[in-house]
Amino acid sequence: MTGRLTSARLVGAGAAAVVAVVTALLPLFLDSSQLTVYTELLLSAVVTTGVSLLLGYAGQISLGHGGFYAAGAYTAALMATHGMPSLLGLACAPLVAGLLGLLVGMPLLRLRGHYLAFATLAFQLILLAVIGQQSSMGGDIGLSGIPALGIGSRHISDFRGYAWVAWLALVAVMILTRNIVRSRPGRGLRALATSEMAASSSGVPVGRYKLVVFSLSAAFAGLAGGIFAFFIAYVAPGSFGVLVSFQFVVMAVVGGLGTLWGPLVGAATITLLLQWLNDLGARPGMPDYAPQVFSYAVYALLLVLVVLFLPRGLVPAGTDALRLLARRRLARAQPGADAAGAADATGAGVEEPVPSPQRQ
Amino acid sequence: MLTTENLARSFGGVFAVNDVSISVPKGELRGIIGPNGAGKSTLFNLISGHLAPTRGEITYVGRSLAGTAPHRRAREGVAIVFQGARLFHGMTALENVMVGAHARTSHGFASAALRLPGHRREERLIAERAKEALEQVGMSDFADVYAESLPLGQQRRLQVARALCGQPELLLLDEPASGLRLGERQILADLLRDLHEKGITMLLVEHDVSMVMSLADRITVLDLGTVIAEGTPDAVSRDPRVIAAYLGQESSDAASR
Ligand SMILES: Nc1ncnc2c1ncn2[C@@H]1O[C@H](COP(=O)(O)OP(=O)(O)OP(=O)(O)O)[C@@H](O)[C@H]1O
Ligand SMILES: [Mg+2]
């Protein structure tokens, strides 16, 4: 926990480096439609990382992060279409979303559980309705003709460039999240998730911490929204429906709350599954409502399956399985310790081992 | 160190604490006893800031605590061990105790996210203090165990360690010995005696009257929200009103069984 380099941590760092390199090189081998999926997947992972920080660590739910995603996208789109440097627009996207998060969070974070969920959902609906009425923001039709992202006269001219921008954003957001979680404020957040009373009597400024983490996760969503606006070159309220917010929460839960890699794994699982079902639903002979029915079904089914069978999500289940495998192998290598090791390993498979492994 | 003046708190017109005036000098270990529902926990919630008084005033090291949030009181040295085991789930014992250091440390989100200078040093300091506090309550071997999977007795001790990690000057202990086995009780009593010698001011609520009698400098007896007696353990144990209150409780306990 405190900078000690254990072997498990080295393995973790090595695995992270491999994943980073592979995902960074991946765009070189993808065609343009695959690059679209890749970019949207990573942008979802950026938002989900924030949602997971909020829900998985601080225990506060938001069903309104689609709204912050929209706020970031519209900030970037409006600034860029009004002749401001695109990079400035991108920088302002998380700032505006974060500020909006601060404003919205101040009254709403007094609420808990279901009430907070509904209130954040309402915030998003109100925001979308307001945008739809605003002709200066393109109304229901939206804003088009958003210029490409770039500095001066150099612009990103292909999908591959945006794929890398999304990759950079995800890396940045994951490093920030990791640094926060493994620190004084991170422990404060995790503490207030179980008992605000005990946390505050330990010196944790509960109200301020909740507000900061809400605003920060809104800023993550805003950053992803900003990149999305330049990538698609068109924003409209229709792109930020309520289903988008649900999707982020489902991704966070499926991947594993309270884990660093859960959001990416959850986003990848859902995006790729949806993509596959979309292709399936678009086959000849399928009714034309099939793709949409499939996508709704995926959220529902995955959520139910994960909650029932892997209540802690995919990432913890995966690391548990790996640990089990490693122990089995160890037991086989040391025949004397076989019986004890195997018994230990099966025991650990049934229930969470009591001595804690470090968190991801 | 701590004085309350005519402190009162009502819930829907019923006073849980009524006109309580106590004065605890620095370094004293004050026992607070009283039958169930006497208002002991309510008094602690008023002092730690989780409840606002209906009437009255709390003064801590010469300053009024009116309107001061719980986390600010913690920073001024007021720590509390709650009656229930209010531990942080999904965090190890060590991490739980590290949260207690919030009261005495300052690095925030920006400093953590960007790993600004000084952050590392403070993290190391927090870990050291937390390990010391765990050691003090004899739980070093359980540092890496998830708090919620500990047995009740250890959860209690862990709460004490968390409070100690904030280096408190005033420590409120709400029935820290309940649910502990005899041996564990002894260890806890020794720890409290040790803290008393170090000069930490303490308020100890405990149903184990003999434990309070052996530890406390003075004892305040609450019944139905009011102070019915106060004095040295000896004097209090001979007070007829105290005997009546406790006898009353015993007979009502017997009746409810
Ligand atoms: N939040 C609350 N709302 C309503 N009534 C309350 C509340 N907290 C306490 N009370 C009432 O105030 C009275 C005093 O409660 P308190 O918990 O302070 O007693 P106590 O002396 O700590 O008792 P115990 O020894 O059982 O812990 C009780 O009658 C209780 O029902
Ligand atoms: Mg009580």
Side-chain angles (χ1 to χ4, degrees):
Chain A
M1 220 52 237
T2 54
R4 211 167 4 112
L5 269 184
T6 61
S7 64
R9 256 187 113 168
L10 273 177
V11 171
V18 169
V19 172
V21 170
V22 169
T23 50
L25 293 179
L26 202 54
L28 292 172
F29 307 101
L30 300 178
D31 65 31
S32 69
S33 82
Q34 289 168 328
L35 279 171
T36 306
V37 175
Y38 175 96
T39 306
E40 288 184 353
L41 190 163
L42 260 53
L43 291 180
S44 294
V46 169
V47 186
T48 306
T49 300
V51 169
S52 179
L53 178 65
L54 185 66
L55 179 60
Y57 290 101
Q60 312 296 314
I61 188 148
S62 166
L63 289 181
H65 265 54
F68 298 118
Y69 192 50
Y74 270 92
T75 302
L78 281 170
M79 288 178 71
T81 50
H82 283 76
M84 280 179 247
S86 58
L87 219 52
L88 183 66
L90 183 61
C92 285
L95 288 181
V96 169
L99 273 177
L100 188 63
L102 219 52
L103 281 179
V104 170
M106 253 185 262
L108 295 198
L109 285 171
R110 287 161 206 277
L111 306 172
R112 270 161 237 224
H114 297 76
Y115 299 101
L116 181 60
F118 285 127
T120 47
L121 186 68
F123 146 73
Q124 183 180 351
L125 291 174
I126 293 167
L127 184 76
L128 290 180
V130 169
I131 291 174
Q133 295 296 310
Q134 225 62 38
S135 57
S136 60
M137 299 174 90
D140 282 323
I141 300 157
L143 287 168
S144 54
I146 300 166
L149 191 61
I151 309 168
S153 60
R154 294 175 52 95
H155 290 281
I156 295 177
S157 53
D158 61 354
F159 282 179
R160 198 157 287 137
Y162 286 102
W164 278 320
V165 171
W167 183 89
L168 277 178
L170 181 59
V171 169
V173 156
M174 281 178 72
I175 290 177
L176 286 181
T177 301
R178 172 196 168 277
N179 286 355
I180 287 172
V181 170
R182 294 184 188 166
S183 72
R184 175 180 183 270
R187 283 187 299 273
L189 288 177
R190 287 157 64 195
L192 68 85
T194 358
S195 173
E196 293 190 6
M197 202 171 167
S200 64
S201 267
S202 301
V204 178
V206 170
R208 188 151 59 80
Y209 268 31
K210 286 206 288 192
L211 203 54
V212 170
V213 74
F214 190 75
S215 164
L216 190 67
S217 74
F220 287 2
L223 175 65
I227 298 171
F228 177 77
F230 288 112
F231 174 58
I232 300 290
Y234 165 74
V235 294
S239 312
F240 308 102
V242 170
L243 194 62
V244 173
S245 294
F246 279 106
Q247 175 192 302
F248 298 138
V249 173
V250 174
M251 285 174 174
V253 173
V254 167
L257 289 173
T259 65
L260 186 60
W261 292 93
L264 177 58
V265 171
T269 307
I270 297 218
T271 308
L272 296 179
L273 208 63
L274 278 182
Q275 191 58 38
W276 179 68
L277 285 172
N278 224 3
D279 295 346
L280 198 72
R283 289 226 184 119
M286 287 281 186
D288 42 337
Y289 54 78
Q292 206 178 354
V293 170
F294 276 158
S295 66
Y296 280 101
V298 162
Y299 293 132
L301 213 68
L302 257 187
L303 197 60
V304 170
L305 286 178
V306 164
V307 168
L308 277 182
F309 297 109
L310 305 169
R312 292 188 305 143
L314 288 175
V315 166
T319 47
D320 279 1
L322 281 181
R323 216 171 273 129
L324 192 77
L325 222 70
R327 247 188 271 178
R328 284 239 169 96
R329 192 161 304 163
L330 207 72
R332 215 168 295 143
Q334 301 168 292
D338 191 77
D344 187 22
T346 40
V350 176
E351 231 177 322
E352 183 176 324
V354 172
S356 85
Q358 81 260 31
R359 296 165 73 95
Q360 277 74 34
Chain B
M1 185 88 179
L2 177 83
T3 53
T4 70
E5 257 172 85
N6 302 324
L7 196 62
R9 167 73 201 207
S10 74
F11 294 107
V14 181
F15 279 89
V17 163
N18 201 358
D19 267 338
V20 169
S21 302
I22 58 171
S23 176
V24 183
K26 191 167 169 49
E28 182 173 310
L29 199 167
R30 170 70 57 97
I32 296 182
I33 59 173
N36 290 105
K40 307 179 293 291
S41 297
T42 304
L43 177 64
F44 274 14
N45 280 331
L46 290 166
I47 298 171
S48 58
H50 294 292
L51 285 174
T54 308
R55 276 199 312 268
E57 186 80 24
I58 303 170
T59 315
Y60 171 69
V61 284
R63 282 194 331 100
S64 165
L65 283 183
T68 307
H71 73 271
R72 295 211 176 278
R73 297 187 196 203
R75 281 170 196 207
E76 293 188 20
V78 181
I80 179 167
V81 171
F82 293 100
Q83 185 167 357
R86 286 176 189 268
L87 292 171
F88 307 129
H89 296 187
M91 300 174 78
T92 65
L94 183 66
E95 288 174 325
N96 261 271
V97 178
M98 287 169 90
V99 174
H102 254 83
R104 298 287 179 192
T105 48
S106 59
H107 280 258
F109 282 90
S111 155
L114 306 174
R115 298 278 133 141
L116 297 182
H119 174 266
R120 227 189 152 78
R121 198 165 352 108
E122 195 175 83
E123 280 292 299
R124 213 173 300 136
L125 179 82
I126 292 172
E128 257 166 44
R129 278 193 191 155
K131 282 177 191 155
E132 259 170 50
L134 270 183
E135 171 102 56
Q136 255 183 304
V137 301
M139 281 191 57
S140 298
D141 291 345
F142 301 92
D144 293 331
V145 180
Y146 279 121
E148 65 269 29
S149 61
L150 288 168
L152 185 69
Q154 289 182 344
Q155 293 199 6
R156 280 273 147 66
R157 268 148 74 192
L158 193 58
Q159 259 208 95
V160 176
R162 181 176 72 201
L164 291 179
C165 192
Q167 303 181 318
E169 279 151 34
L170 173 66
L171 179 55
L172 312 173
L173 297 141
D174 200 347
E175 302 191 23
S178 77
L180 297 199
R181 282 177 278 114
L182 196 63
E184 291 178 316
R185 245 164 230 255
Q186 209 51 57
I187 296 171
L188 180 73
D190 289 343
L191 174 64
L192 296 187
R193 212 166 274 128
D194 190 39
L195 296 175
H196 187 27
E197 265 163 33
K198 286 190 178 141
I200 298 178
T201 313
M202 281 182 277
L203 263 57
L204 171 65
V205 164
E206 192 43 71
H207 276 301
D208 181 348
V209 176
S210 65
M211 179 173 167
V212 182
M213 294 279 173
S214 73
L215 286 171
D217 299 310
R218 287 173 74 78
I219 290 177
T220 299
V221 188
L222 285 181
D223 188 21
L224 299 174
T226 56
V227 178
I228 57 166
E230 187 179 314
T232 60
D234 256 1
V236 161
S237 62
R238 271 176 286 140
D239 191 303
R241 276 168 306 179
V242 177
I243 295 165
Y246 269 86
L247 283 179
Q249 188 206 5
E250 263 163 38
S251 54
S252 72
D253 274 1
S256 67
R257 255 179 230 131

